[in-house]
Amino acid sequence: MDLGIKGKTALILGASQGLGAAIAAKLAEEGANLVLVARNGEALERSAKELSAAHGITATGISVDLSDAEAVAAFAAQIRSEIKPDMLVANAGGPPPSPAIGVEQEVWQRSAQLLLFSIIQVTEAAVEGMREKGWGRVLAIGSSGVIQPIPNLAVSNTIRGAVAGFCKTLAAEVAGDGVTVNMILPGKIDTARVGQLDTARAGREGKTVEQVRTEIAASLPIKRYGAPSEFASVAAFLLSQPAGYVTGQMTRVDGGMIRSI
Ligand SMILES: NC(=O)c1ccc[n+]([C@@H]2O[C@H](COP(=O)([O-])OP(=O)(O)OC[C@H]3O[C@@H](n4cnc5c(N)ncnc54)[C@H](OP(=O)(O)O)[C@@H]3O)[C@@H](O)[C@H]2O)c1
C-alpha cells in the first residue's frame, strides 16, 4: 500500500531511541522527510545522517528538553515559523514508576510538563500549519494504562488520561480541516523504557529480569513482547494518506494485553 507521505515532513518527538526512533525509520522508508527531537543531539544527528543516506530523504535533529517550559516555548515558535510539519508524533519519555500515594509534587509537576503541557504546546504549534495546508496528521503515543491503569505506574496512568482528553477534543475541532488526531497505545513493546520497568520490577519482587520478562510474556495473549518495528508499522498507517477517515481514535498495539472490549 502506498502511504502517500513521500516528501511530506514528519516531526517526531522522543526520536533518539525506542518507539520514536522506530517510527522515524519506518517513515523514512516511505520517503517522508524527518525532524527528530529529543535531548540527545548526538544520537539524533547520527540517526538523521543514516536515514537520509539510506532513503534519500532530508532528516535533521533538534535537541530540545521537553520538560523545560522555556525551551518548549522557543521550540513551538520554531515549529510555526520554520518546521511547519505535515505529521506530528507527540511522544516523550515515561515517568518513574510509583503507586498513586506518596509521589512528590515535583515529580507530578515535571512529568505533567513533559508529557502533557509540552505535548499540548507543540501540538498546537504543529496543527496551525496543518490547518492552513488542509492536511495533517497528529499521533500521540500513550499507553495501555489509559484504558487499563497499570499498577505502580500512577503518574503515567494519570497524565496520559489527560492527553487522551486533549486529543479527543482536538480531533473534533480540526477534522473539518483535513487534520486527523489519534492516539496509539503500546502494551509491551521491547524498548529501553520497558527494560527499565522490568528491571525495577525484578528489584521489587526479588527476581531476575529474565524471570520477570518470562512471566510477563506468558501473561500476554500473544505470549511475547512486541518489536518496535511492529508498533511503528501501525503508527505509519495512522499517519498516512489512506488513514484520512480515522480520527479521535485510540489504537491498541498490545498483543491483546488489554482485556476489555
Ligand atoms: N515501550 C512500550 O511498550 C511502552 C508502553 C507504554 C507506554 N510507553 C510510553 O511510550 C513513550 C515512548 O516509549 P519508549 O519505549 O520509546 O521509551 P524510551 O525508549 O525511553 O524513549 C523515550 C524517548 O523520549 C526521549 N525523551 C525522554 N525525556 C525527554 C525530554 N525531557 N525531552 C525530550 N525528549 C525526551 C528520549 O530521548 P532523550 O533521552 O535523548 O531525550 C527517547 O528518545 C514513553 O512515554 C513510554 O512511557 C511505552
Side-chain angles (χ1 to χ4, degrees):
M1 186 193 293
D2 178 7
L3 295 189
I5 53 174
K6 193 168 184 191
K8 291 194 183 292
T9 299
L11 173 59
I12 306 179
L13 311 182
S16 64
Q17 62 177 42
L19 303 180
I23 294 172
K26 195 64 79 180
L27 296 185
E29 277 174 29
E30 297 295 329
N33 297 320
L34 306 175
V35 179
L36 309 174
V37 172
R39 289 165 302 181
N40 185 342
E42 270 177 34
L44 295 176
E45 279 308 318
R46 207 170 34 246
S47 134
K49 260 192 201 145
E50 281 170 16
L51 292 174
S52 51
H55 302 287
I57 56 154
T58 306
T60 50
I62 305 179
S63 175
V64 182
D65 182 348
L66 294 166
S67 67
D68 176 342
E70 271 181 38
V72 172
F75 179 51
Q78 192 182 0
I79 293 171
R80 286 190 166 89
S81 63
E82 290 170 37
I83 303 172
K84 299 179 178 169
D86 304 293
M87 295 167 271
L88 169 68
V89 176
N91 173 43
S98 70
I101 288 186
V103 180
E104 287 176 17
Q105 275 309 304
E106 195 267 332
V107 172
W108 281 116
Q109 276 163 5
R110 184 162 29 87
S111 304
Q113 182 63 51
L114 174 65
L115 287 162
L116 178 62
F117 302 133
S118 294
I119 293 300
I120 290 173
Q121 210 173 346
V122 167
T123 302
E124 245 187 86
V127 161
E128 202 173 284
M130 294 179 191
R131 296 179 94 175
E132 281 166 18
K133 287 184 257 190
W135 196 96
R137 301 282 182 265
V138 175
L139 184 64
I141 300 184
S143 164
S144 61
V146 172
I147 295 176
Q148 183 173 284
I150 304 166
N152 209 52
L153 272 181
V155 179
S156 173
N157 295 336
T158 305
I159 292 171
R160 294 186 200 283
V163 175
F166 173 72
C167 288
K168 186 69 179 169
T169 312
L170 177 66
E173 290 176 15
V174 300
D177 300 320
V179 180
T180 69
V181 182
N182 291 292
M183 219 170 167
I184 183 166
L185 310 182
K188 279 281 175 190
I189 312 296
D190 208 356
T191 65
R193 160 79 177 168
V194 161
Q196 284 154 11
L197 293 176
D198 290 349
T199 304
R201 178 165 159 182
R204 283 196 309 276
E205 296 180 3
K207 294 175 180 165
T208 66
V209 177
E210 213 34 59
Q211 273 174 316
V212 165
R213 286 176 66 88
T214 304
E215 281 173 20
I216 290 174
S219 76
L220 301 173
I222 204 163
K223 304 294 177 208
R224 64 176 178 84
Y225 284 44
S229 64
E230 292 177 296
F231 179 85
S233 297
V234 182
F237 174 71
L238 292 168
L239 291 161
S240 75
Q241 180 73 35
Y245 206 64
V246 180
T247 196
Q249 300 303 308
M250 289 198 275
T251 301
R252 305 167 185 188
V253 183
D254 70 348
M257 178 175 141
I258 300 170
R259 300 294 170 152
S260 69
I261 291 173

